[in-house]
Amino acid sequence: MKRLLNKKWARVLALTLLLVLTLAAPAFAAAEPAANDTAETLETTETAETAEDSTGMRALATGLAIGLAAAGGAIAMGMAASKSVEGIARQPEAEGKIRTTFMLALVFIETAIIYALLAAILIIFVL
């Protein structure tokens, strides 16, 4: 049991480290302006780079929001389906109540995913 727990924490730590490094990549990719640029060219370049960075960050935020919401929703739906099938297998006479509760839970999970989609759409078009 303890070994299984250690493997789980190692996986969580590895995924967290991967996420942090992925989000930090744009910071490492920033370039310094050349020394012989004039002030006007530098200003124009900075404005264009800022617009590109903003678009890139919006795309990254949207992708992460939708990806995390879809992954979380899929895991939650799988767990709900698993538990409802277990409950029906244990008590076949309670199938109707279990199925009704299961469907209601799926609606709430899907609603959370749709809210994430709306937030992503707002990120793309409003911000």
Side-chain angles (χ1 to χ4, degrees), residues 30-55:
E32 291 186 29
N36 60 358
D37 283 345
T38 63
E40 291 176 16
T41 308
L42 187 59
E43 252 181 54
T44 307
T45 306
E46 285 179 359
T47 306
E49 285 179 2
T50 305
E52 288 176 9
D53 287 345
S54 174
T55 304

Side-chain angles (χ1 to χ4, degrees), residues 60-73:
L60 182 64
T62 303
L64 283 173
I66 293 296
L68 290 174

Side-chain angles (χ1 to χ4, degrees), residues 69-115:
I75 291 169
M77 286 180 181
M79 291 175 65
S82 168
K83 296 300 180 179
S84 67
V85 169
E86 273 181 31
I88 291 171
R90 271 186 274 144
Q91 284 188 315
E93 66 275 0
E95 178 183 1
K97 288 183 177 181
I98 293 172
R99 183 174 292 144
T100 303
T101 306
F102 170 62
M103 290 297 171
L104 187 62
L106 288 182
V107 167
F108 287 137
I109 293 167
E110 194 65 34
T111 302
I113 297 169
I114 291 171
Y115 282 149

Side-chain angles (χ1 to χ4, degrees), residues 3-47:
R3 189 175 201 191
L4 181 64
L5 187 63
N6 286 339
K7 283 184 181 181
K8 182 179 178 182
W9 278 110
R11 250 185 274 150
V12 168
L13 182 63
L15 287 174
T16 304
L17 182 63
L18 180 68
L19 179 67
V20 167
L21 289 176
T22 303
L23 293 176
F28 295 123
E32 291 186 29
N36 60 358
D37 283 345
T38 63
E40 291 176 16
T41 308
L42 187 59
E43 252 181 54
T44 307
T45 306
E46 285 179 359
T47 306

